[in-house]
Amino acid sequence: MQMQQAVQALFDRYERSFNDALTAEPDLDAIADLYTDTFIAASPAGIVSGNNDDQLKKAMTDGFVRYRKMGTKQMQLRHLRVVPIDPLHGLAHVEWRAIYDIEGAQKMITFTNVYLVRIENDKGKVFGWITGDEDAELKKHGIT
């Protein structure tokens, strides 16, 4: 499968799984299937690595509880740009729009994350991501 198609399918699943988890119990197996067995993450807080295991599932569960408490209603995939590195790896620049319900008013934040992706058995998977300062952005918009 062509990288662009595999990565588009990956982030379509990512968006669907994320939004499902905002309204019901998250399907942790489906969400974990978006990631490789090991991964790295970089943000202003630092760089971490982890394994796709029960610890990741617990972190995902806690994360969705936090997102629901802060009023997150939906995450929309706005734009995807894939930059291939080689036939198996690429950078996915994903523009998201997060929609929040804050005291009855709808707020939206648009942001871009960069994901390191790998094609495994014709299926895109995330093996890393680079994000901005989510907490500062939420605070700036009066969400936290």
Side-chain angles (χ1 to χ4, degrees), residues 105-124:
Q106 190 176 78
K107 291 194 178 194
M108 291 183 268
I109 301 175
T110 300
F111 61 94
T112 300
N113 290 340
V114 177
Y115 298 85
L116 300 121
V117 295
R118 177 178 172 81
I119 307 303
E120 294 183 352
N121 301 315
D122 290 329
K123 190 174 182 180

Side-chain angles (χ1 to χ4, degrees), residues 32-102:
D33 191 50
L34 300 168
Y35 300 93
T36 56
D37 290 340
T38 58
F39 57 85
I40 59 172
S43 73
I47 299 171
V48 297
S49 63
N51 295 310
N52 190 338
D53 57 15
D54 288 339
Q55 188 174 4
L56 174 63
K57 288 179 180 180
K58 178 171 180 356
M60 289 188 296
T61 298
D62 294 347
F64 286 116
V65 167
R66 178 177 176 257
Y67 285 126
R68 285 192 295 268
K69 281 184 180 177
M70 74 173 71
T72 312
K73 294 299 174 192
Q74 189 177 30
M75 192 70 70
Q76 298 173 341
L77 174 63
R78 301 280 297 156
H79 181 73
L80 171 66
R81 182 172 59 92
V82 180
V83 179
I85 296 171
D86 62 28
L88 295 178
H89 302 95
L91 296 174
H93 299 257
V94 182
E95 181 181 302
W96 295 105
R97 175 182 287 158
I99 300 173
Y100 303 88
D101 182 3
I102 307 300

